[in-house]
Amino acid sequence: SDRMNLLVGQMRGQLTELELGISGALNITERMENLSNCLQLNRVYDSWRALAYPSLKPLGAWFQDLLSRMQQLVEWTNDRSGVLKSTWISGLFNPMAFLTAVMQVTARSKELPLDFMTNRATFLNIMDPSDVVSHPNNGVHIHGLFLEGASWEEGKGDDEGYVS
């Protein structure tokens, strides 16, 4: 959340500065002009892109994505269990660090060396992450993965689906 706070703080400061420049309270600088151009062209401003997550989306879609990421962080910090019922994996700044932390917690709870831990995926027949009713017995539920060059066949009942 520190990284997100830094990004949002910089965005707020630069947009406030631009607003003051447009109103005449400050002289317009080249940086303000570049920000204004990016806003008009629906592009993510370079200093925001440097602090943010990798994304090729235009500014409007990027900002909606940013709001979704912030919402997940707020829900996560308000959740008393320490982890969400389902975590949007592609909404994290560093998904691999999250998966490594899950392996570390599992290794500690089962008193096994971390070197023996691997990530194993079980696919559920749940399309909407809000339909997840509880935490799994082991590990975490995640959503937000993408398939390229394949399709997903849904399982029937409690059967797992499969890649086709």
Side-chain angles (χ1 to χ4, degrees):
S1 70
D2 291 340
R3 190 170 168 187
M4 184 65 79
N5 288 337
L6 183 64
L7 171 61
V8 172
Q10 185 174 61
M11 290 173 67
R12 181 179 292 124
Q14 290 172 339
L15 289 170
T16 301
E17 189 177 77
L18 178 62
E19 184 179 31
L20 290 171
I22 291 171
S23 70
L26 289 176
N27 291 332
I28 298 284
T29 64
E30 185 176 344
R31 191 175 75 186
M32 288 182 203
E33 196 170 320
N34 289 340
L35 174 56
S36 177
N37 287 338
C38 284
L39 293 174
Q40 292 172 26
L41 297 172
N42 197 28
R43 289 193 331 232
V44 179
Y45 188 48
D46 289 338
S47 71
W48 301 351
R49 186 184 312 278
L51 290 174
Y53 42 89
S55 177
L56 299 174
K57 294 180 179 181
L59 180 62
W62 180 87
F63 189 72
Q64 284 301 318
D65 191 62
L66 176 72
L67 293 177
S68 297
R69 290 166 187 261
M70 289 173 58
Q71 181 61 37
Q72 175 168 271
L73 286 173
V74 167
E75 288 172 11
W76 197 348
T77 54
N78 291 337
D79 191 286
R80 294 188 185 269
S81 68
V83 69
L84 299 171
K85 289 180 186 170
S86 181
T87 302
W88 177 34
I89 193 81
S90 50
L92 300 174
F93 276 96
N94 187 351
M96 199 59 219
F98 176 75
L99 295 174
T100 301
V102 170
M103 287 193 301
Q104 289 173 335
V105 168
T106 304
R108 281 191 204 112
S109 69
K110 298 192 180 288
E111 298 180 1
L112 295 170
L114 184 58
D115 294 341
F116 293 165
M117 296 283 102
T118 59
N119 286 315
R120 181 182 182 281
T122 301
F123 295 91
L124 305 175
N125 292 325
I126 299 173
M127 295 298 159
D128 186 356
S130 63
D131 291 342
V132 175
V133 292
S134 64
H135 295 90
N137 294 333
N138 295 311
V140 293
H141 291 298
I142 62 169
H143 63 276
L145 298 175
F146 297 91
L147 285 176
E148 285 189 37
S151 64
W152 181 256
E153 261 327 293
E154 286 187 45
K156 293 187 169 71
D158 288 336
D159 293 339
E160 248 185 61
Y162 58 92
V163 176
S164 59

